[in-house]
Amino acid sequence: QVRLVESGGGLVRAGESLSLTCTASVPKSAFTYYTMAWFRRTHGKERAPVAAVSWTGVTTSYDDSVRGRFSISRHDEGSTVTLQMNDLKPEDTAVYICAARVRGAVGDVLSGTVDYWGRGTQVTVSS
């Protein structure tokens, strides 16, 4: 069973930055075929897509609410994907969840068609 483990969450003030990392329990040879994504879930709401990067690394996609502030990148050598979050706002407060799909199209993954989910890491932004 593939495990996705998120790290890097915490409490920051509005305007500050935070970097989240998701580590997959597979070697580079397998990870290179995973389209990776970040979702977030706020209290009482459904899980919502944030960003994704294709397994080729060529395509990235962002939700309108984070475009220009967040950046997703993959590091196949370490089987990790990073979400760099800048200019954080209180409305970014959520549990951030990593997701993966083998050779998935970015659009499909962002719509929730996912093979593996992480358990999430809490990000809290104070005003």
Side-chain angles (χ1 to χ4, degrees):
Q1 180 69 17
V2 175
R3 292 182 64 226
L4 303 177
V5 179
E6 302 91 339
S7 61
L11 171 63
V12 296
R13 295 181 178 179
E16 294 183 340
S17 299
L18 205 59
S19 181
L20 304 181
T21 298
C22 172
T23 303
S25 64
V26 296
K28 173 188 175 183
S29 57
F31 186 77
T32 56
Y33 293 106
Y34 286 16
T35 290
M36 302 298 297
W38 288 93
F39 289 72
R40 62 187 180 186
R41 184 178 62 239
T42 54
H43 183 66
K45 294 186 177 181
E46 293 291 323
R47 188 167 48 200
V50 175
V53 56
S54 64
W55 61 277
T56 62
V58 172
T59 303
T60 58
S61 182
Y62 299 90
D63 183 74
D64 288 344
S65 64
V66 306
R67 188 173 291 112
R69 299 187 298 122
F70 290 14
S71 178
I72 188 171
S73 59
R74 60 184 300 136
H75 313 282
D76 291 351
E77 287 294 332
S79 298
T80 61
V81 62
T82 298
L83 184 69
Q84 177 64 40
M85 305 185 294
N86 299 325
D87 189 25
L88 282 160
K89 304 176 180 180
E91 51 264 42
D92 294 319
T93 295
V95 174
Y96 283 73
I97 303 163
C98 182
R101 178 164 176 81
V102 179
R103 297 191 182 190
V106 164
D108 289 344
V109 173
L110 291 175
S111 69
T113 305
V114 169
D115 293 324
Y116 308 108
W117 293 98
R119 300 187 66 177
T121 184
Q122 176 69 46
V123 172
T124 303
V125 185
S126 64
S127 57

